[in-house]
Amino acid sequence: MTNLKNDLILRVLKGEKTERVPVWMMRQAGRFLPEYRVLREKYGFFERCQTPELATEITLQPIDRLGVDAAILFSDILVVPQAMGMEVQLVESKGPLLPAPIQSAADLSRVSVPDVHDRLHYVFDAIRLIKKELNGRVPLIGFAGSPWTLLCYMVQGKGSKTFDEAKAFCYQQPETAHRLLQMITDTTIAYLRAQIEAGADLLQVFDSWGGLLNEQDFEQLSLQYMRQIVTALGDRVPVILFAKGAWFALAEMKATGAAGLGIDWCVSAQKARSFAGDDIVLQGNFDPAWLLAPTPVIKAKTKEMLQAFGGHHHIANLGHGILPHVPVDHARAFVDTVKECTV
Ligand code: CP3
């Protein structure tokens, strides 16, 4: 874990005061870089995930291009449902498709808690290769989807604005839903533990759809399972919880023992701080669409964001993933502004 030439993000997550705020961008690996699009023409999505050399190349692209302070593994949250036995496709310009979603208790017989070393060995192979190629330049972030967000896809079978079918399943068949959530949680803990063993320096759990739930349902369907993940792994490496739209639960998420909490752009730094308290790292929260503004505006807005967080207990990031059509020099304006700024 030592031997890192840049351990800024790890020091911030330990609560230390640092010379400047670290920066990375959610979904920086893949999506917007032209050199990624070249690989996208040549190889299928899961082929890119399952080939350690390709995953390594894509993971390193934003480090080489933008000089961000952390690398995030190139993979996808949906490799977990796949490893549990479900078919997952990625349909060009449409997104994920799971042709045989879970709809009943009987369907649970089609999924299992797999041996992750067997089903997901390509991820751990990629992590080992990435660590070697990074050669200590920056820490590597491992990740997984939250159990609730994975249930959304496993039940709905595709992306959705409301995930109404996933919610109906939970509200109509709560016992089956909780059995499934526990299976996903058990798989995820084993999966993330193996990511740490392969070399991940810190972890982020993406709860992209946590904000679709009310406070009580968020606790029942999402947070109680993320809590199990943090409890199992949080003393080994720092864990960041990012529950998009769930700013109402920042205090409860902090109480899990997470080292950092991601926030989206819909909550101000000041409000997030008042909910979460002073002694927790907040990560975020630049509106990804502001990266489409002219670069002088991006710089001014980035400085505004840094000032709002006050330069301490902060990891600069976007409030959600970078958009696919963001020009590289716009992303660089964001990263450079953070790196030049000593608030
Ligand atoms: O952050 C990174 O750069 C690392 C890789 C990463 C991917 N997906 C690669 C990917 C990560 C961390 C994810 C997380 C992910 N995947 C989430 C949670 C974060 C979020 O954005 O809310 C979710 C909900 C998914 C599910 C998923 N995978 C969707 C909805 C899609 C299609 C649309 C999209 O986001 O691009 C994917 C495919 C996917 N995962 C791509 C990439 C680079 C696009 C593949 C391509 O078309 O080239």
Side-chain angles (χ1 to χ4, degrees):
M1 159 133 175
T2 46
N3 306 346
L4 283 166
K5 293 170 197 113
N6 174 349
D7 64 349
L8 207 49
I9 192 169
L10 295 175
R11 283 189 279 131
V12 167
L13 286 166
K14 273 190 206 147
E16 290 176 22
K17 256 200 146 87
T18 50
E19 52 281 20
R20 66 169 173 85
V21 170
V23 57
W24 68 284
M25 290 182 299
M26 286 190 276
R27 311 297 298 276
Q28 68 189 17
R31 268 204 166 173
F32 84 108
L33 285 175
E35 51 269 44
Y36 170 68
R37 299 227 191 86
V38 175
L39 293 175
R40 199 168 176 271
E41 299 296 310
K42 291 217 304 236
Y43 308 96
F45 181 68
F46 287 110
E47 196 180 359
R48 277 171 267 147
C49 292
Q50 289 164 11
T51 311
E53 291 74 18
L54 291 175
T56 300
E57 186 174 341
I58 300 167
T59 300
L60 264 63
Q61 284 171 349
I63 314 305
D64 297 336
R65 264 284 201 147
L66 299 168
V68 281
D69 294 306
I72 181 158
L73 165 72
F74 177 78
S75 184
D76 196 76
I77 63 169
L78 297 173
V79 301
V80 166
Q82 208 171 42
M84 292 176 74
M86 294 189 77
E87 182 183 347
V88 182
Q89 303 167 5
L90 207 77
V91 183
E92 180 73 38
S93 73
K94 273 209 161 151
L97 179 71
L98 293 78
I102 304 285
Q103 284 167 343
S104 65
D107 289 340
L108 288 191
S109 64
R110 293 196 274 112
V111 289
S112 63
V113 177
D115 175 353
V116 294
H117 290 281
D118 175 35
R119 299 303 307 273
L120 291 160
H121 62 88
Y122 60 88
V123 175
F124 316 128
D125 292 343
I127 290 176
R128 281 185 284 267
L129 189 58
I130 292 163
K131 284 294 286 181
K132 188 166 156 252
E133 296 291 321
L134 273 175
N135 193 24
R137 268 187 284 169
V138 289
L140 176 64
I141 305 171
F143 73 89
S146 74
W148 159 249
T149 289
L150 290 180
L151 176 142
C152 283
Y153 288 100
M154 290 167 85
V155 172
Q156 191 93 15
K158 55 183 187 311
S160 164
K161 283 204 166 70
T162 57
F163 283 99
D164 52 342
E165 289 168 44
K167 283 181 160 183
F169 172 79
C170 294
Y171 302 156
Q172 289 166 3
Q173 306 177 64
E175 228 177 282
T176 308
H178 283 286
R179 271 174 58 205
L180 179 57
L181 286 164
Q182 192 58 53
M183 287 171 81
I184 304 169
T185 303
D186 294 345
T187 306
T188 301
I189 290 172
Y191 177 49
L192 290 174
R193 184 172 285 138
Q195 289 191 28
I196 299 170
E197 280 157 10
D201 298 292
L202 68 154
L203 299 171
Q204 176 155 317
V205 178
F206 288 89
D207 190 16
S208 306
W209 305 116
L212 295 179
L213 299 168
N214 72 31
E215 281 192 54
Q216 191 186 2
D217 294 334
F218 181 74
E219 166 59 36
Q220 287 301 311
L221 294 169
S222 183
L223 189 57
Q224 65 160 317
Y225 297 99
M226 293 202 285
R227 189 180 292 119
Q228 289 184 36
I229 296 170
V230 178
T231 303
L233 305 169
D235 54 0
R236 308 193 44 188
V237 295
V239 179
I240 299 171
L241 296 181
F242 172 60
K244 186 169 182 296
W247 46 268
F248 53 80
L250 282 169
E252 288 76 10
M253 285 193 273
K254 174 185 168 186
T256 63
L261 303 175
I263 53 172
D264 64 55
W265 63 93
C266 296
V267 64
S268 68
Q270 196 191 6
K271 268 196 196 130
R273 188 53 81 197
S274 76
F275 293 138
D278 289 332
D279 50 345
I280 176 96
V281 173
L282 294 176
Q283 174 176 276
N285 73 339
F286 200 76
D287 179 349
W290 269 113
L291 290 185
L292 299 170
T295 51
V297 179
I298 294 172
K299 288 181 180 175
K301 282 277 166 192
T302 304
K303 279 185 196 148
E304 240 175 63
M305 171 196 71
L306 291 166
Q307 273 149 13
F309 283 95
H312 185 44
H313 281 329
H314 181 215
I315 298 167
N317 204 319
L318 309 177
H320 200 189
I322 189 163
L323 298 164
H325 50 296
V326 168
V328 177
D329 58 324
H330 288 215
R332 188 176 290 120
F334 173 73
V335 172
D336 285 350
T337 305
V338 178
K339 291 175 77 174
E340 284 156 16
C341 207
T342 45
V343 180

